[in-house]
Amino acid sequence: MGILSVTVLLFSLSLLACLYRDLLFSNEGKLVRSVHYDHTEVIVHEKPGNYYPGEPKSDIHPESLQRSGNSRESECTTVPESRFDCGRDRLLSQVECEERGCCYAPLPGSAGPPWCFYPALYPGYNMGPLTPSERGQAATLTRASPSYLPKDISTLRLEVVEETTSCFHIVLKDPSSPRYEVPLPAGSPQTEAYTQDVLYTTEYQHDPFGFIVRRKSNGRVLLNTTVAPLLFADQYLQLSTTLASSLVSGLGEHYTSLILDLNWTSWTLWNRDMAPHADANLYGSHPFYIVQEEDGLAHGVFLLNSNAIEVVLQPTPALTWVSTGGILDLYIFLGPDPQSVIRQYLQVIGYPMMPPYWSLGFHLCRWGYTTTNATRSVAQRMHSANFPMDVQWNDLDYADKRRVFTFDPLRFGDLPEMVQEFHKEGMKYILILDPGISSISPPGTYPPFEDGVKRDIFIKNATGHILIGKVWPGPTAFPDFSNPKARQWWEDCIRDFLSKVPVDGLWIDMNEPSSFVQGSVEGCPDSELEKPPYTPRVVGGQLNSGTICMSAQQKLSSHYNLHNLYGLTEAYATHSALMKIQGKRPFVLSRSSFPGIGRFSGVWTGDVRSDWEQLRFSVPAVLQFSLFGVPLVGADICGFEGNTTEELCVRWMQLGAFYPFMRNHNDKPNAPQEPYVFGQKAQAAMRSALNLRYSLLPFLYTLFHRAHTSADTVARPLFMEFPTDPDCQTIDQQFLWGSSLLISPVLEQGAVELSAYLPAGTWYHLHNGQPFHSNGQYFQLPAPLETINVHVREGHIIPQQEPALTTAASRENHFFLTVALSTGGWAWGDLFWDDGDSLMTFETENYCYVNFTAGQSRIVSDPLNLSGALASLLLGGLQVFGVPSRPLYVLANGEKVDDFTYETDTKVLTVTRLALPMSKTFAVQWVL
């Protein structure tokens, strides 16, 4: 084994900042390259130190840190931005800090860097030799003396597994006592045999334990956990690492830009019913981040842990993970490009489900459609005003006394008939389904609760009785979706309700779970689960704020361990129930989320306000969920809280037309915001945006097919498609659909023009084919109220269809193609097509797939017919952008076409009145 021994260099303060990165990797401890893991990829996560009330006196003393060759002063000489906090919870005095064996150096007037921080080589675990294990290698870590944490765990088992050439897996756990571990979804790829060289190397520091992960191709350090101690106690796990750059995205769900702020920020992952705003833990938890490196490379890190987590970011750049329980179960994905990182992540958590085609249409909802007649009127007025719309929704207004699985006999007495009417009109219907089950109905009047009690499926409190919280219907019990019996009960309740009301999908809200009382109506016991030694910064200050007791008991574990999984388990139960009952592709929309939820559900971003700031922040919110494997995502168009304005609603409808999931949703007390309530100019702009979306649905559906089968992203950050373009690294006010369409929405009040970045190449305005030849630069684009700027990338072909008022109608219309020729005159595109709602059409080869190729002044289709889905559908026309001169004539399958036009100024060829079967090969040629 090679031993890396480096002497700490003492330079003048003016050089310290420049040299610090080298110093980070120059600790005196021995760094040993693993013999068996010469190319091992390692995952590193960082966790900040914290104070515990009544913490035991540490056995670590300042003098124990005096090592040969280092003075105390040199060990504590660290540039402020590179300090790792030894006491995040409170300001420690110098005495308290040094009792922990840490350095104390005040920085008056500085709010960021800690005053109390770890010295170099702070005592920690000692790593024993790596030995072969069932899946990889393992080693034992031991502490010579306890840390300052209560219930410190002195012996750990380290497991390292080369999952694939680009995925390395490292686990730290207590070998003597079982702790909660999040199970991977069934069918997730496991360790695979491979012959190619891995993309990573690892080095281990044995005392104190730490590891370094490098990218093999260039030696770049991706993670270095030797910079701060590993801490592992019963309710406090901490791991720190350097970061390869400051370009970090992920760690949702938070109200933030796409690139996270590393200036001494912390992000708490703890699911909470909380309207989006800054510095708050929101509805979902996704302990995954992706780092953009130099030269277009990227890597990602995933901590598979469902406990409350705080992630601390600092400008070193570095990151610290702190978890309140479970184990440290880490994956690192080497990419090497950003899209490969996401694909590797989804190979662990599962690829997203394929949505039904109709769910990509327009959805309309409001809390406050108080009767079936009011609900009918909304749908009728939409279609009477020629607004495309597929799905009418009802919020909790429909329910009798706000109890789920019921409908109000007076206001919604004819709900079944209304749903059947929608179906006859080619529409779908969805209603809300909260998990809280009313517990106070008179005996014999509310079977969901009584049957649940009989089957013993509700979450229990610490004394073994049903825990009662409070939600919309009043006192409520909460199903334990980790219990198979509860999932069967849930399916039976849904089956019984759908036999009366044939809804098409379910909207699962309030599933963090949310409760209007803290813990339960009886409070919570005074225990370490309710008041752990360390609580991350959460809204309300306690883990049970706005939810149920942490000591509540579920089938798999305590709610303390399972809270962040509640929405995921409910989504799984709901998806499974609908699939069995309906026998077709389910539609589920969830508010709470955790890694893997994209397999079962879409997500919306919660109770956004009707203002311009929230409009802007909805773009990075949608893009983050793309990184998290949830492509079916959108924000409430025009805003949910507060009154919208006409201009805001128009701009939000234009942006929302390019959310993968498009729904306008409004709160009860607000002014109406259905498209038909606005002035004629605003209505025309909204109608235009909706028709544009509906025309693009064949393309969008194909993108979802790629997401489902290949883990591609649908709504895509620019940095994922153009990773080597520095200007794309931080853009989050524009985004792509796939690799072909660039959307540049207006996000500022009063704007009638827009500065939009176009990456290098030729881009064509989708509306009129106007070319923009970019060297990678910003263009000032006109953006009047009726316009959203969408550009097609050269070399791509977009399959489209004539829009209609519903997808049921539009799917029968003629197709047309938009062909964006490259400077060399070529382009490519494809179309995935099936019946739109059958299960597993791709897996059972019950679909059609068509390649389109343009080159040498012609476009040719190559259909792969595996079903009859395209049998009666025709290509009615095409538009070709970038045709250099007016064609002499146009041929379709060798026959001259009379109906074509050519625009000399924009160089656009338009061919109409074609009738070419989509299920057969066709060729359209223009002769110059």
Side-chain angles (χ1 to χ4, degrees), residues 883-889 900-904 927-928:
V883 177
S885 60
R886 178 181 297 275
L888 299 174
Y889 54 89
F900 74 90
T901 60
Y902 180 79
E903 298 293 333
T904 305
V927 179
L928 302 178

Side-chain angles (χ1 to χ4, degrees), residues 517-770:
V517 295
Q518 184 167 344
S520 78
V521 295
E522 298 177 343
C524 301
D526 186 9
S527 70
E528 288 187 338
L529 292 181
E530 306 299 338
K531 297 179 180 178
Y534 167 77
T535 299
R537 189 181 58 160
V538 294
V539 174
Q542 296 186 37
L543 295 182
N544 57 23
S545 298
T547 189
I548 65 177
C549 297
M550 296 299 99
S551 55
Q553 295 302 305
Q554 299 186 231
K555 175 75 171 178
L556 289 183
S557 189
S558 66
H559 194 71
Y560 180 87
N561 291 325
L562 299 180
H563 171 82
N564 279 347
L565 299 173
Y566 193 82
L568 172 64
T569 56
E570 188 196 16
Y572 169 68
T574 308
H575 181 274
S576 175
L578 287 176
M579 189 164 56
K580 292 176 184 176
I581 295 164
Q582 297 176 324
K584 53 188 177 183
R585 230 174 281 168
F587 175 86
V588 180
L589 185 74
S590 175
R591 188 171 72 180
S592 173
S593 62
F594 189 81
I597 196 164
R599 301 173 67 215
F600 313 114
S601 176
V603 168
W604 92 105
T605 62
D607 297 343
V608 295
R609 291 192 316 273
S610 297
D611 64 38
W612 291 89
E613 180 190 277
Q614 298 255 338
L615 171 70
R616 288 190 293 273
F617 273 97
S618 74
V619 179
V622 165
L623 296 179
Q624 285 184 68
F625 274 105
S626 289
L627 304 180
F628 300 150
V630 189
L632 190 65
V633 58
D636 284 344
I637 292 169
C638 302
F640 176 75
E641 293 186 344
N643 294 326
T644 192
T645 65
E646 184 169 273
E647 181 191 3
L648 174 63
C649 202
V650 167
R651 293 307 193 187
W652 214 321
M653 283 287 286
Q654 290 171 339
L655 169 61
F658 290 90
Y659 292 155
F661 169 67
M662 185 185 189
R663 183 183 70 159
N664 179 323
H665 181 38
N666 195 7
D667 199 2
K668 188 181 298 186
N670 303 334
Q673 61 189 37
E674 295 84 4
Y676 54 73
V677 305
F678 297 102
Q680 290 303 310
K681 183 178 179 183
Q683 286 194 40
M686 293 180 179
R687 191 178 297 110
S688 175
L690 280 167
N691 280 323
L692 177 58
R693 178 187 178 88
Y694 270 63
S695 77
L696 289 166
L697 287 182
F699 174 65
L700 180 61
Y701 192 63
T702 301
L703 293 180
F704 270 98
H705 164 69
R706 291 191 199 139
H708 173 61
T709 58
S710 305
D712 282 5
T713 47
V714 176
R716 184 172 303 175
L718 269 69
F719 79 78
M720 297 195 71
E721 189 65 26
F722 304 98
T724 60
D725 184 344
D727 290 309
C728 291
Q729 291 174 339
T730 61
I731 290 176
D732 61 5
Q733 306 293 274
Q734 299 172 258
F735 60 98
L736 295 152
W737 264 13
S739 58
S740 311
L741 287 187
L742 176 61
I743 297 95
S744 305
V746 170
L747 304 173
E748 302 290 340
Q749 184 175 5
V752 292
E753 61 179 12
L754 172 73
S755 179
Y757 183 77
L758 301 184
T762 299
W763 296 83
Y764 300 93
H765 201 296
L766 180 61
H767 177 66
N768 58 16
Q770 179 185 355

Side-chain angles (χ1 to χ4, degrees), residues 358 362 379-380 382-383 389-392 419-429 504 805-806 808:
W358 57 262
F362 179 61
Q380 290 166 356
M382 283 292 291
H383 281 174
M389 175 176 133
D390 261 78
V391 194
Q392 178 64 55
V419 176
Q420 295 288 8
E421 291 167 19
F422 287 153
H423 289 167
K424 289 177 183 176
E425 295 165 9
M427 293 176 60
K428 306 294 183 180
Y429 178 77
D504 299 286
L805 294 182
T806 64

Side-chain angles (χ1 to χ4, degrees), residues 47 84 118-119 122-124 209 225-231 238-240:
K47 319 223 175 229
F84 288 85
Y118 296 109
Y122 188 85
F209 168 73
T225 73
T226 70
V227 293
L230 164 68
L231 298 175
Q238 174 181 302
L239 187 66
S240 298

Side-chain angles (χ1 to χ4, degrees), residues 433-513:
L433 184 62
D434 294 339
I437 302 297
S438 174
S439 61
I440 57 169
S441 299
T445 64
Y446 189 45
F449 178 71
E450 295 180 4
D451 190 35
V453 172
K454 290 178 184 176
R455 298 203 205 181
D456 191 26
I457 57 88
F458 292 116
I459 293 175
K460 304 290 182 59
N461 61 23
T463 62
H465 298 93
I466 295 175
L467 182 144
I468 302 298
K470 188 175 182 180
V471 201
W472 299 116
T476 52
F478 296 87
D480 175 12
F481 293 107
S482 75
N483 185 344
K485 291 194 301 181
R487 296 195 291 270
Q488 184 59 56
W489 163 86
W490 189 248
E491 178 186 324
D492 294 343
C493 289
I494 293 174
R495 186 185 303 275
D496 180 67
F497 186 72
L498 262 63
S499 70
K500 304 180 186 75
V501 186
V503 303
D504 299 286
L506 291 171
W507 169 24
I508 52 176
D509 193 8
M510 307 293 288
N511 57 344
E512 290 74 29

Side-chain angles (χ1 to χ4, degrees), residues 107 279 308:
L107 294 167
D279 302 318

